[in-house]
Structures are given as C-alpha cells and as structure tokens.
Amino acid sequence: MQKQKQLTIISDGQSLVIDDMQEKAKKAFDLLDVSEATRADYKYRIGLFLDFTSEKGFNRNSFLDFKRYLNERTDLAVSTKNKYLATAKIFLKEANRQGALPADITQNVKTFSQNKKHKRDGLNDEEIATLQIKIKELPETPRNLRLKAVLSLLVFQGLRQVEIIRLDV
C-alpha cells in the first residue's frame, strides 16, 4: 500500500491538513491557463517540492528553504533548479489565490542566476543579407539546394538546429 503524503499548513494558530498533495497540486495545475505540455511539466516537477515540505514541514519560509535546498544540490543544472523553483512558486501562488494559503510566501525570493554562455543570439539583418548574397552565388547542385533549404529554414522559418536535424523527408 502506498504511503499517503500529508502537508500541514498552520494559519493563525489553526491547522489545515491537506492530504494527498500530489493529487491536489495536479488539480491546481489543471486550472491554469497554460499549454498541456507546460501543465504536464508542472505536474512532473511539483513532486520534489511536496516531498521536501512533507519531510521538513511547511511554514512561511518553506519556499526560501526549498530554494536553499536546491542550491546545495550539485546533481542539477541551474536551469533545472529554476524550473523546480518556478513550479513550486506557481503552485504556492495558486494555493494562495484559491484560499488554501493565507499569504503568498514566494514574495522576494529570486530565481537562481543563470549565465548566458550557452545561449546564442540570432543573425542580424546585415548577416542575413550577406548570407543571401553568398547563397545566390552557389552553383545549382543537389548539395547546394539542400544547403539553401536548410539555411532558409534556419533564417526565415526560425527553426532550431535540432529541429532541422530531426527532419525526415
């Protein structure tokens, strides 16, 4: 038999017990105006926060404590930590909006700083114009036609490299 998770929220000296938080969180995410993929991601990621609060207890510093817990983890990338933090924040804000939490405990807690070393800027107009000139100068061979098609997908359709690699014609 699976152990049922329990989270106790204390408000003004009164205890509010919410059983099966995973199921409640999933229902809360169903109410959000987001895509199905985003909703599925939230439902997957909320478990870590719920496990953390089940083990450590829940209080007005739980969100900050969760951030500190994530900060100590070396097995997660900064972007992944931010996703877990964002999921918990959205859940807690929705719980506050629905009246299950008396206050928004996510205020003034920032996300993790993320370097942009791995991010790339797109081509500017001058670079695109230069690329168009070079493409027009290429002889009409099957290989060059393929190159033109790939570059057109990158530049004019906004496809990412991985999307083009996965194309199967």
Side-chain angles (χ1 to χ4, degrees):
M1 191 163 125
Q2 189 178 13
K3 179 185 165 196
Q4 194 171 23
K5 294 182 181 176
Q6 190 178 66
L7 177 64
T8 302
I9 301 170
I10 299 173
S11 168
D12 299 330
Q14 295 180 348
S15 175
L16 172 64
V17 177
I18 301 175
D19 292 323
D20 194 11
M21 284 303 293
Q22 188 78 26
E23 203 53 42
K24 296 252 192 261
K26 288 179 180 180
K27 287 180 182 176
F29 291 136
D30 285 338
L31 301 172
L32 297 177
D33 185 22
V34 295
S35 72
E36 283 302 317
T38 301
R39 189 173 289 114
D41 190 50
Y42 289 161
K43 288 177 180 181
Y44 169 78
R45 291 186 189 280
I46 195 61
L48 186 62
F49 176 71
L50 296 176
D51 289 345
F52 175 81
T53 54
S54 291
E55 183 181 316
K56 304 286 185 184
F58 188 87
N59 59 55
R60 57 176 58 253
N61 290 320
S62 290
F63 185 66
L64 180 59
D65 293 341
F66 181 62
K67 180 185 177 186
R68 290 176 178 156
Y69 161 75
L70 287 173
N71 190 46
E72 293 173 5
R73 291 199 47 180
T74 58
D75 61 324
L76 299 174
V78 173
S79 60
T80 303
K81 292 176 184 181
N82 275 332
K83 288 176 186 175
Y84 279 113
L85 200 61
T87 299
K89 184 174 191 170
I90 289 163
F91 171 67
L92 291 168
K93 282 186 171 293
E94 185 62 17
N96 174 248
R97 189 180 77 81
Q98 295 289 332
L101 283 178
D104 179 7
I105 66 169
T106 66
Q107 287 182 338
N108 301 322
V109 178
K110 299 177 183 177
T111 59
F112 295 99
S113 295
Q114 199 170 342
N115 70 22
K116 297 183 180 173
K117 183 172 67 172
H118 69 286
K119 308 248 186 210
R120 299 273 186 236
D121 290 333
L123 298 174
N124 61 34
D125 290 341
E126 185 179 313
E127 292 168 329
I128 292 173
T130 303
L131 193 57
Q132 284 177 316
I133 292 168
K134 296 292 183 185
I135 287 174
K136 285 181 184 177
E137 295 173 355
L138 292 174
E140 294 289 324
T141 66
R143 186 166 190 256
N144 288 342
L145 286 174
R146 181 182 181 279
L147 178 62
K148 288 179 184 182
V150 168
L151 289 173
S152 294
L153 289 171
L154 282 168
V155 174
F156 301 115
Q157 298 301 316
L159 266 65
R160 294 176 287 178
Q161 290 176 9
V162 70
E163 294 169 322
I164 293 173
I165 290 169
R166 291 178 182 158
L167 283 178
D168 185 16
V169 180

